[in-house]
């Protein structure tokens, strides 16, 4: 069997190459590159896709989260609860706003923030909870929203890995007070460069986010807020408009791949993720397993031509950049970082390839 990459755009991009080329030419000839009809169209399309009222394009997922926090006036002196197991951007967005990220342990089997652990971290300074829908599975939103309501907290969704994911039939983007999406190329919906969006149902907040991302301005050269420059380009919006038409198809393929893995892996030492069900419609940004001897398993697979990744090898509180947290302990986050392994999952991976990966996994002693 040839080398199996962890992920590849090749098959997906081959199928839409002509459309992308035509669109590139069209935007090129339009002589209009920022804040035009392509981004307007994408914002409308993406809001519709999410079943939400507003989508506001911005530079990347980190900016989307940061601007949401700013829009809700979260800043210095405030605390924001985030999961101990997430990508660094969730914590950095809080730092950018001036607030303090407070880590709360995740659930070892869902990998998402554990609602039962949230309340003991709430104090008078707590202003918000960022629920991350990690690996394409929504967080336990009813419980999170109940806690938030009880304590008067804002709930933001970090939906960077969850385009199209559902919770009790509702799509990510509508499960809190505002959501941040990333269109980093490797995400389920990816641009051909950086990109992001805020998805939100509150008109006032939508306008504020839009203003923040455009130098705090609505009318050119009039600045009502000290904003940022974080906009989604016309060319990326144009590409995303094309790719959005395929997102459901690509997500359905990922669901199929995930079900192959769940069906064929029978090594009892491997902890499998939970399948999609009526409550959780996963989009499988990552297919995440756990094994006690993860590093040996990873090497073994590499020798068989199977490429895997670890999400994430070093928890936030162990990072040099967060030295103020280095003496804190989060056993679940640490356990995940030592045992987690992400298997290849992408549009176009063949069933035989997945079966080969499963066979190798099952033979690992
Ligand atoms: C990718 C990602 C982000 C950040 O998105 P960028 O577009 O890279 O800034 C934030 N949170 C999570 C969970 C992510 O996976």
């Amino acid at each position: 069997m040839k080398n199996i990459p962890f992920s590849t755009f090749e098959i997906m991009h081959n199928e839409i190459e002509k459309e992308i080329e035509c669109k590139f030419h069209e935007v090129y000839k339009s002589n209009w590159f920022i804040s035009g009809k392509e981004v307007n169209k994408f914002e409308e399309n993406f809001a519709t896709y999410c079943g939400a009222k507003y989508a506001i394009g911005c530079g990347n997922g980190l900016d989307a989260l940061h601007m949401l926090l700013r829009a809700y006036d979260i800043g210095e002196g405030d605390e924001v609860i985030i999961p101990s197991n997430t990508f660094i951007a969730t914590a950095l967005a809080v730092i950018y706003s001036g607030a303090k990220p407070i880590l709360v342990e995740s659930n070892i089997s869902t990998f998402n923030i554990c609602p039962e652990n949230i309340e003991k971290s709430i104090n008078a300074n707590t202003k918000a909870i960022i629920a991350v829908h990690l690996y394409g599975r929504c967080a336990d939103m009813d419980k999170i929203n109940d806690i938030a309501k009880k304590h008067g907290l804002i709930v933001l969704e970090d939906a960077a890995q969850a385009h199209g994911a559902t919770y009790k039939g509702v799509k990510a983007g509508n499960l809190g007070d505002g959501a941040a999406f990333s269109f980093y190329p490797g995400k389920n919906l990816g641009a051909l460069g950086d990109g992001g969006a805020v998805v939100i149902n509150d008109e006032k907040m939508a306008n504020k986010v839009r203003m923040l991302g455009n130098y705090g301005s609505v009318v050119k050269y009039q600045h009502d807020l000290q904003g940022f420059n974080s906009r989604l380009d016309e060319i990326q919006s144009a590409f995303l408009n094309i790719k959005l038409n395929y997102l459901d198809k690509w997500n359905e393929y990922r669901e199929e791949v995930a079900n192959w893995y769940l069906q064929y892996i029978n090594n009892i030492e491997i902890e499998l993720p939970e399948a999609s069900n009526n409550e959780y419609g996963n989009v499988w940004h990552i297919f995440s397993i756990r094994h006690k001897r993860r590093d040996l398993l990873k090497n073994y697979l590499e020798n068989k031509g199977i490429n895997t990744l670890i999400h994430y090898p070093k928890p936030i509180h162990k990072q040099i950049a967060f030295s103020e947290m280095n003496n804190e302990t989060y056993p679940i986050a640490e356990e995940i970082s030592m045992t987690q392994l992400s298997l290849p999952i992408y549009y176009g991976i063949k069933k035989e390839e997945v079966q080969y990966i499963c066979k190798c996994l099952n033979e690992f002693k």
Side-chain angles (χ1 to χ4, degrees), residues 81 104-110 112-122 129 139-147 150-151 280:
I81 289 173
V104 165
E105 288 271 71
S106 301
N107 178 309
I108 192 94
S109 58
T110 68
N112 277 328
I113 195 165
C114 190
E116 286 71 27
N117 293 333
I118 292 176
E119 252 179 325
K120 41 182 188 282
S121 294
I122 295 175
I129 302 168
D140 193 346
M141 294 309 295
D142 279 354
K143 286 188 191 155
I144 294 169
N145 281 317
D146 283 349
I147 294 163
K150 185 171 148 197
H151 296 273
Y280 292 91

Side-chain angles (χ1 to χ4, degrees), residues 29 45-47 107 127 136 141 151 162 171 187 203 221 245 284 313 329 347 362:
K29 288 291 180 186
N45 290 343
F46 193 61
N107 178 309
K127 289 284 149 46
M141 294 309 295
H151 296 273
K171 270 195 179 146
K187 307 288 168 145
E203 186 183 3
Y221 304 126
N245 292 325
W284 304 104
T329 49
Y347 175 72
N362 292 341

Side-chain angles (χ1 to χ4, degrees), residues 292-303:
K292 285 208 171 61
R293 288 168 288 128
R294 188 269 320 278
D295 293 339
L296 286 173
L297 177 60
K298 190 176 193 312
N299 274 335
Y300 161 87
L301 292 171
E302 227 152 80
N303 290 331

Side-chain angles (χ1 to χ4, degrees), residues 60-62 86-87 89-90 132 134 158 160-161 182 184 187 195 312:
N60 53 61
L62 171 57
T86 181
F87 180 55
T90 319
V132 182
L134 205 67
D158 180 340
Q161 304 188 358
S182 162
Y184 177 81
K187 307 288 168 145
Y312 298 90

Side-chain angles (χ1 to χ4, degrees), residues 76 92 100 119 121 124 136 157 159 168 172 174 185 188 196 203 248 275 289 301 316 328 330 343:
E76 209 156 314
L92 284 176
K100 185 178 176 203
E119 252 179 325
S121 294
E157 296 172 72
K168 298 187 177 174
N174 303 275
N188 290 39
E203 186 183 3
D248 281 340
I289 63 168
L301 292 171
I316 291 168
E328 296 174 23
Y330 298 93
L343 301 181

